[in-house]
């Protein structure tokens, strides 16, 4: 294995690890395209370019094993025999998986995975009759199949008599070259300044793609100089030179594209060639890449935290300004101070929006992984599934994207394994033989919503109940009083699985409980909607980990809380005597509608004084319906900086974050999804409704400033 690394190349290797992930994703994408469009030459060329780039980057980073394996794959792909589409697709997928395993091993300096599967596919691809013919053809001497005219031969003999060297130069065009027709002009321009060109094949004006360029030249310069001039990155792969009229003298090309791994110490890790005087396109690409800057995520986190502190500082200044204005209402400095504050607020808002966008990436980066996952899972399960993507332009935090990748992949595999039927079952049910899986993402209020829906058989509640009874997850008495939705939600219980047998995809008891656990750690929720015979939809709700929101502040038993202002439909006033209890629920009749209420504090004493007491009811929209939150007092509307809280700071999922006001007070931001979920469960079980009562949920944890 590659020897342990020194510190000097650490930055180069880190950049390699980061950029190669995108290359592996491109390799998967192109393999999928080739599977759907067999023999597409552009896709095959794209696969070659990707493998070629990985080879060069790995060599530059010092990963010899990976570079050599990629080199073997690239050689196989350049043969004219790449006609076995199924074998080529399999090689693309296997190479992507093997490369990924090797890169992971390099990162932890562990043992490299086996490469036998890739090597076997390469041998199969290169052992066919067409491959042998192509290899034999490529091994023939270049001089044997070029015919120079009589005038060209006479000119060559005349110049040789004058003491000049007459050479036959063969420049092999890189298979990945984006402009093979223009390659002849690029090579002749590069060599014309140091040699007299007596003949060229193909001839000037020929508008055809060729694999090599033959030049008959007379010069007094060295062979090495001629070869170096002909080596144009991404255009010429190899250069051969022989003395005209004598035996071929093969000289190995020193072009970066074919250099040995140990000779690539100064190759750019980005694998994009530097611009040459004869390569306008390469120059433009290099200029564009020069505008990109890779920054460590921790540095961006620090900038975001500082912007949050500035927002808090703005609130402090605004409060001081209000006090100053009330004390010195006639002071002329008051208006100047107000103007300065308004200007500062405007600039600070622009700064906050700009910095927030740095960490935001389109969800497309996450969704791109799933065509390969769907394809592999469907093949293992013997099913036919198409994937539709929607909302790829929705932005989310990069940290959040990485955190939900595995839970989302588990849900997708679950939908294919348990939800979508086999082609025969779908045909018998009057459905198309091919199932459909849809991934969608969008923003709702201060949350990111990711939905995974299928058109399969749905969740059989009766089967879930019987399996839960058999496994002892619930008792018979529990099963009698549970609603249909509560029975379906049993699939989120630890160790629960409806699979009848253990397969590679399902049945091991490591199920959707892992998804819910991860979502809870992120202060999010996962919901399951199912329609028997029509399909299932999983909905993931994730709060923003850091954002500036408009919030409504209120008090519950002297504690200060906040919820996003855009979730509040209205604020109602009522008396305790106006509330009624229906089947363990407190409700309020509001303009003819029955509004279910959530009492976040403790229940008041049942006496005439308290029954006539007026209360505030915040009417919120959540989960497609309206709820009422009973609070003790309203505080104000504020612009808050949401800061995520870890489990050591506060041990409850009822709070999604915290913020600091201008006067130094700490306000907790409610996680409405968890509050609604916990309240419905508590009401069903007959537990006390006061989730935010002093003696219940939030007594133990204290938020440290």
């Amino acid at each position: 294995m590659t020897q342990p690394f020194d510190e000097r190349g650490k930055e180069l290797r880190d950049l390699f690890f980061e950029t190669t992930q995108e290359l592996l994703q491109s390799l998967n994408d192109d393999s999928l395209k080739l599977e759907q469009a067999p023999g597409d030459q552009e896709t095959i060329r794209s696969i070659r370019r990707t493998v070629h780039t990985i080879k060069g980057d790995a060599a530059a980073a010092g990963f010899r094993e990976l570079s050599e394996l990629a080199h073997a794959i690239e050689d196989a792909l350049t043969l004219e025999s790449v006609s076995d589409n199924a074998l080529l697709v399999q090689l693309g997928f296997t190479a992507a998986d093997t490369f990924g395993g090797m890169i992971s091993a390099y990162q932890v300096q562990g043992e490299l995975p086996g490469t036998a599967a890739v090597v076997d596919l390469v041998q199969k691809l290169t052992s066919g009759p067409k491959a042998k013919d192509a290899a034999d053809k490529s091994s023939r001497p270049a001089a044997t199949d070029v015919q120079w005219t009589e005038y060209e031969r006479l000119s060559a003999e005349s110049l040789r008599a004058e003491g000049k060297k007459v050479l036959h130069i063969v420049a092999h065009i890189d298979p990945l070259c984006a402009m093979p027709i223009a390659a002849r002009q690029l090579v002749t321009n590069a060599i014309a300044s140091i040699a007299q060109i007596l003949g060229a094949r193909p001839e000037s004006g020929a508008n055809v793609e060729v694999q090599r360029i033959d030049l008959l030249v007379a010069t007094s310069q060295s062979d090495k100089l001629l070869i170096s001039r002909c080596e144009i990155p991404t255009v010429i792969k190899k250069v051969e030179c022989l003395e005209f009229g004598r035996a071929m003298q093969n000289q190995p090309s020193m072009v970066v594209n074919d250099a040995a791994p140990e000779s690539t110490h100064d190759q750019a890790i980005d694998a994009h060639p530097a611009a040459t005087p004869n390569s306008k396109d390469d120059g433009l690409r290099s200029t564009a890449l020069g505008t990109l800057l890779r920054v460590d995520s921790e540095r961006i986190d620090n900038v975001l935290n500082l912007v949050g502190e500035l927002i808090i500082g703005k609130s402090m200044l605004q409060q001081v300004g209000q006090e100053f204005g009330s004390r010195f209402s006639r002071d002329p400095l008051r208006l100047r101070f107000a103007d300065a504050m308004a200007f500062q607020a405007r600039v600070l808002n622009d700064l906050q929006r700009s910095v927030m966008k740095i960490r935001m990436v389109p969800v497309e980066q996450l969704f791109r992984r799933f065509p390969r996952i769907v394809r592999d899972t469907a093949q293992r399960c013997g099913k036919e599934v198409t994937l539709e993507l929607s909302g790829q332009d929705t932005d989310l935090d990069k940290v959040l994207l990485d955190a939900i990748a595995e839970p989302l992949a588990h849900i997708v595999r679950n939908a294919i394994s348990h939800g979508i039927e086999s082609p025969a079952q779908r045909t018998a049910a009057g459905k198309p033989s091919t199932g459909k899986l849809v991934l969608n993402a969008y923003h709702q209020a201060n949350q990111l919503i990711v939905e995974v829906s299928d058109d399969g058989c749905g969740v059989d509640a009766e089967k879930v109940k019987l399996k839960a009874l058999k496994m002892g997850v619930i008792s018979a008495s529990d099963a009698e009083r549970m609603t249909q939705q509560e029975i379906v939600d049993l699939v989120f219980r630890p160790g629960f699985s409806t699979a009848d047998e253990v397969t590679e995809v399902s049945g091991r008891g490591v199920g959707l409980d892992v998804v819910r656990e991860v979502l809870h750690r992120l202060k999010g929720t996962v919901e399951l909607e199912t329609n028997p015979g029509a399909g299932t939809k999983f909905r993931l709700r994730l709060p923003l980990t850091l954002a500036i929101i408009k919030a409504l502040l209120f008090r519950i038993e002297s504690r200060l809380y906040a919820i996003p202002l855009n979730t509040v439909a209205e604020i109602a006033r009522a008396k305790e005597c106006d509330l009624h209890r229906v089947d363990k629920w407190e409700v309020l009749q509001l303009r003819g509608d029955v509004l279910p209420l959530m009492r976040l504090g403790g229940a008041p004493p049942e006496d005439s004084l308290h029954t006539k007491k007026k209360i505030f009811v915040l009417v919120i929209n959540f989960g497609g319906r309206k709820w009422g939150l009973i609070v003790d007092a309203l505080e104000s509307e504020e612009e808050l900086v949401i800061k995520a809280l870890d489990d050591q700071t506060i041990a409850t999922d009822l709070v999604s974050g915290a913020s600091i006001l201008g006067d130094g007070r700490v306000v907790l931001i409610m996680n409405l999804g968890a509050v609604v979920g916990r309240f419905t469960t508590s009401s069903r079980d007959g537990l006390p409704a006061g989730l935010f009562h002093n003696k219940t949920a939030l007594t133990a944890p204290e938020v440290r400033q």
Side-chain angles (χ1 to χ4, degrees), residues 481-603:
R481 62 187 180 85
M482 292 178 71
T483 65
Q484 194 86 348
Q485 184 61 46
E486 291 169 345
I487 293 174
V488 170
D489 285 343
L490 291 175
V491 299
F492 293 106
R493 294 289 184 93
F496 185 84
S497 176
T498 57
D500 296 325
E501 59 182 9
V502 176
T503 66
E504 187 178 357
V505 179
S506 61
R508 292 179 171 80
V510 181
L512 295 172
D513 61 300
V514 177
V515 176
R516 174 166 283 183
E517 181 182 349
V518 172
L519 267 293
H520 281 177
R521 283 203 303 267
L522 298 173
K523 308 301 182 185
T525 60
V526 56
E527 303 168 4
L528 173 60
E529 297 179 4
T530 185
N531 187 1
T536 304
K537 178 183 290 185
F538 287 88
R539 183 178 294 108
L540 281 63
R541 296 182 180 272
L542 294 156
L544 299 178
T545 55
L546 179 63
I548 310 296
I549 64 167
K550 289 286 187 180
L552 177 64
L553 278 61
F554 53 87
R555 291 188 174 277
I556 301 173
E557 296 186 350
S558 74
R559 284 200 178 99
L560 194 59
Y561 300 96
I563 58 174
L565 189 61
N566 55 14
T567 63
V568 181
E570 63 177 296
I571 301 174
R573 293 295 304 269
K575 297 179 181 178
E576 287 285 352
C577 59
D578 296 330
L579 309 186
H580 305 280
R581 184 170 292 274
V582 177
D583 193 21
K584 300 179 182 179
W585 282 90
E586 282 189 298
V587 298
L588 172 66
Q589 189 170 9
L590 186 65
R591 291 189 295 275
D593 294 330
V594 177
L595 182 70
L597 300 178
M598 295 181 289
R599 187 181 294 275
L600 304 179

Side-chain angles (χ1 to χ4, degrees), residues 40-71:
D40 183 72
Q41 292 300 312
E42 181 57 36
T43 303
I44 295 176
R45 282 194 290 269
S46 180
I47 293 175
R48 291 172 182 162
R49 285 193 293 268
T50 302
V51 174
H52 177 81
T53 304
I54 292 175
K55 179 193 74 172
D57 289 1
F63 300 127
R64 177 177 52 82
E65 300 87 352
L66 178 56
S67 179
E68 291 176 352
L69 182 62
H71 183 72

